[in-house]
Amino acid sequence: MKDHEKSIKRVLAIETSCDDTSVALVRDDGWVEKLSSAHQDLVHEPFGGVVPEIASRSHSEALLPLIDLVLTQSHCHWKDVDGIVVTSRPGLVGSLLVGVVTAQTLSFSLDKPLIMVNHLEGHLMAGFLSDSEVTKVPQFDFPYLGLAVSGGHTHLYWVKDFGVYQVLGHTVDDAAGEAFDKFAQMAGLGFPGGVQVDRRSQQGDANRFTFPRAMIRENHYNWSFSGLKTSARQLLSSLSEEERRLNMPSLCASYQEAIVEVLITKLARAVSEFKIPRVLITGGVSANSRLRTKALEWGHEAGVQVVVPPLKYCTDNAAMIGYAGILRLNKGERSLVSESPSSRSLPHDFMGFM
Ligand code: KG4
Ligand code: ZN
C-alpha cells in the first residue's frame, strides 16, 4: 500500500507560530490524547509585546522537551504516530521556522508523512475537538461562520466545508486582541492585556464612558479598532492619576463593551445575510467573558448555535493544528520536506480578500 493510501489515525502536531510552543497527539475523530504548551508571557512582559527573536529562541529551547513529554506522558511510541503536522503560516517567520524544521526532520528521519497547515484553518477546527474533560459539540458540522479573534487576527470566515473558506471580512487596522493589549499598556495594566481588562471590567460600569463603535452600521464585515484606541488614549490623558485609578474598572468595561458590540453586531448581520445558523468563535479573545456571555445570549435569542470551545482549544494550541492536518493527510495531501514557512497565508488557503 502506498503511503498516501494509508489511513492516518494519529498525528503528532507542532504549533510555534507566535509565542506559544505547543505539541499535541490528536486522533482522526478529533479526540485529543495529549496537549502540552509552554507559554512565553513572562519573557515578553518587560517589553510590553512579543519580541520575535526572544520568541524563536524560547521555541528552540522548549520544543524538543515538550515533544518528549507528550509522548512519554501518553505512553505513545513513534511507531504509533502516523504523521507529523506543523503550522507553517501565517506568523512570525523565526518562530514558525523552529516548528517547521523540527517537523521536517522528524518526518524525514522517521519516514512519516508531513503536512504543513495554516494556523487560521487550525483555529477554525477548534469546535471539533474533544477529550476526557470536553464533550464533543453535538450537531456541530459544516457549514458555519467562524469568527477568529486573537492578538494578530480579527477575521470572519464562511466555513463552507473542510478546506473551503471564504473570508467575509477582517480588521482594517488593529486586531481585537491588539486593541485590548494596547489599552492595557496605555492604562498600565500589564501584558497580555486582554485578560487584565476583562478582570477589571467585572467591577465596572460599561455605560460610564462612551467609546466609538467604528463602521458598526456599515453594510460590510470589516472592523476598525484604531479610532477606539485613539479615543481611549485621549480620555486617559485627560484624567488625573487619581481619576484613572478610581475609574479603571469602568474604563475597562466601557472599552471592552465597544469591542464586543462591534464584533457581535457584524456576526449577527452575517448570520442573517448568509442564513447560516451556526457560529464558531475562536482565538484568544474568545476567552473574554463579556464576549462569551453576549454571544451565547444572542445565539439563544436568535436561534443560532454558538460554539465557543474551551479556552485551551481557542488560544494558540497544537491540537487544532493536528486535527486540521489529519483531515488533510486523509485527503491524500502531503507537504514536501523542502517547503518553507511564510509570514502570510497562501493564495489558495482562503477565497476572498485577506
Ligand atoms: O489566540 P491567541 O492566544 O494568540 C494569538 O494572538 O494568535 O490570542 C492572544 C490574544 C491577546 O491579544 C490577549 O490579550 C487576548 O487574546 N486575550 C483576551 C482575553 N484573554 C486573552 N482578550 C480579551 N479578554 C480576555 N479574557
Ligand atoms: Zn492564533
Side-chain angles (χ1 to χ4, degrees), residues 15 17-18 119-120 123 149-153 283-284 314-317 320:
E15 155 65 41
S17 66
C18 187
H119 177 81
L120 294 158
H123 274 302
V149 267
S150 72
H153 298 95
C314 279
T315 54
D316 287 354
N317 71 88
M320 63 184 194

Side-chain angles (χ1 to χ4, degrees), residues 24-293:
L25 273 176
V26 187
R27 275 188 348 213
D28 61 346
D29 56 355
W31 183 267
V32 182
E33 293 183 329
K34 186 78 194 162
L35 168 65
S36 279
S37 303
H39 306 289
Q40 303 177 5
D41 290 348
L42 285 180
V43 290
H44 297 294
E45 210 217 327
F47 305 95
V50 176
V51 182
E53 289 79 4
I54 297 180
S56 18
R57 200 182 323 134
S58 304
H59 287 308
S60 325
E61 286 162 7
L63 185 53
L64 293 180
L66 261 188
I67 295 175
D68 268 346
L69 182 90
V70 162
L71 290 171
T72 313
Q73 290 192 343
S74 49
H75 308 289
C76 182
H77 300 280
W78 281 116
K79 67 172 172 39
D80 308 317
V81 175
D82 301 325
I84 310 287
V85 185
V86 65
T87 307
S88 70
R89 61 196 185 276
L92 300 170
V93 171
S95 288
L96 290 163
L97 202 57
V98 177
V100 166
V101 169
T102 306
Q104 287 169 334
T105 309
L106 290 171
S107 159
F108 188 70
S109 56
L110 299 167
D111 194 23
K112 308 268 182 205
L114 171 72
I115 191 80
M116 300 193 196
V117 304
N118 185 300
H119 177 81
L120 294 158
E121 175 173 63
H123 274 302
L124 292 174
M125 294 302 117
F128 297 106
L129 300 175
S130 59
D131 60 41
S132 54
E133 294 161 0
V134 176
T135 318
K136 210 176 192 92
V137 180
Q139 288 129 32
F140 189 66
D141 206 351
F142 305 101
Y144 53 94
L145 294 181
L147 176 66
V149 267
S150 72
H153 298 95
T154 299
H155 277 61
L156 181 62
Y157 300 93
W158 179 357
V159 182
K160 299 180 180 187
D161 202 344
F162 177 68
V164 190
Y165 315 118
Q166 181 164 349
V167 182
L168 298 178
H170 59 88
T171 177
V172 296
D173 39 53
D174 295 341
E178 213 177 342
F180 275 109
D181 293 339
K182 286 182 178 169
F183 176 82
Q185 199 179 15
M186 287 188 273
L189 304 179
F191 170 85
V195 64
Q196 309 287 349
V197 176
D198 191 354
R199 194 158 55 80
R200 283 172 177 78
S201 298
Q202 315 283 331
Q203 277 81 45
D205 171 7
N207 298 313
R208 172 80 182 77
F209 297 98
T210 309
F211 285 110
R213 273 97 164 127
M215 310 199 290
I216 196 163
R217 281 183 233 295
E218 290 176 25
N219 201 18
H220 56 65
Y221 301 105
N222 288 342
W223 291 274
S224 166
F225 296 105
S226 65
L228 172 66
K229 192 180 63 190
T230 308
S231 145
R233 181 177 296 121
Q234 285 165 349
L235 177 59
L236 285 169
S237 60
S238 74
L239 300 176
S240 70
E241 194 98 339
E242 181 64 359
E243 285 171 324
R244 273 187 184 211
R245 195 181 57 75
L246 287 174
N247 287 296
M248 196 47 77
S250 295
L251 284 163
C252 287
S254 305
Y255 187 87
Q256 172 178 274
E257 195 63 24
I259 297 179
V260 169
E261 196 179 319
V262 289
L263 290 174
I264 301 280
T265 303
K266 298 262 170 165
L267 186 57
R269 188 176 301 143
V271 162
S272 65
E273 180 177 342
F274 297 100
K275 306 206 173 11
I276 300 168
R278 240 185 331 254
V279 162
L280 171 81
I281 304 182
T282 183
V285 178
S286 69
N288 185 266
S289 54
R290 181 67 187 134
L291 178 62
R292 283 183 173 241
T293 308

